[in-house]
Amino acid sequence: MNAVRRMGIAVSATALISVAALGGVANATPGVGVAGTVLWQRTIGGKDYVYREITVQPGGSTGWHHHDGTLYALVARGTLTHSAAKGCATDGVYAAGSVFTEPSGADNVHIGRNLGSTPVVLDVLYVDPAGAPLSQDEPNPGCDFE
């Protein structure tokens, strides 16, 4: 086996070990029963503007997460229960026609849940730094609901 091939195998093995060692990602709480469709997206002045429709099925949740930018939402259908990691408290129950904002930053971890019997449909505008993900999964902060 030549030196270049051995080096490639070593780099690949190191990459796999590094990914496996990042076990903290496994503690994230991704959404359950959630689907989203991007309706339009624009980048202007270093910011991404993304308009998205999100549906949360009954019993579903967004999972714990935060945003790098600000999110503006309209509840088009259903009722969303919104809870903050700080204090593990419900900080809003939003029925159809309600609007709410989610501030940016890793210190604003939250979860949205559909505790009702009909799907929740949200119309959401994300205003993020250009290239940022729409959200970043976070581990459960120790709250006994999810």
Side-chain angles (χ1 to χ4, degrees):
M1 183 182 310
N2 69 29
V4 172
R5 185 162 182 212
R6 278 194 306 265
M7 182 182 212
I9 291 170
V11 168
S12 296
T14 301
L16 286 172
I17 291 167
S18 296
V19 168
L22 294 174
V25 175
N27 293 329
T29 56
V32 174
V34 178
T37 302
V38 173
L39 302 176
W40 60 260
Q41 179 173 351
R42 305 283 185 278
T43 301
I44 303 169
K47 296 219 181 262
D48 286 339
Y49 297 85
V50 180
Y51 186 63
R52 190 172 177 221
E53 182 180 84
I54 299 170
T55 302
V56 184
Q57 295 300 325
S61 81
T62 61
W64 290 99
H65 65 281
H66 77 271
H67 306 280
D68 292 331
T70 303
L71 178 144
Y72 304 90
L74 165 71
V75 181
R77 291 195 309 260
T79 300
L80 183 76
T81 300
H82 191 277
S83 301
K86 293 178 185 173
C88 293
T90 297
D91 59 1
V93 176
Y94 303 101
S98 299
V99 295
F100 63 93
T101 301
E102 293 178 345
S104 65
D107 57 337
N108 291 303
V109 174
H110 55 274
I111 190 170
R113 298 174 291 143
N114 181 351
L115 304 179
S117 59
T118 61
V120 170
V121 178
L122 305 171
D123 293 325
V124 178
L125 176 64
Y126 299 81
V127 181
D128 285 336
L134 297 179
S135 66
Q136 297 196 46
D137 289 346
E138 294 284 349
N140 183 324
C143 303
D144 63 359
F145 54 84
E146 203 166 306

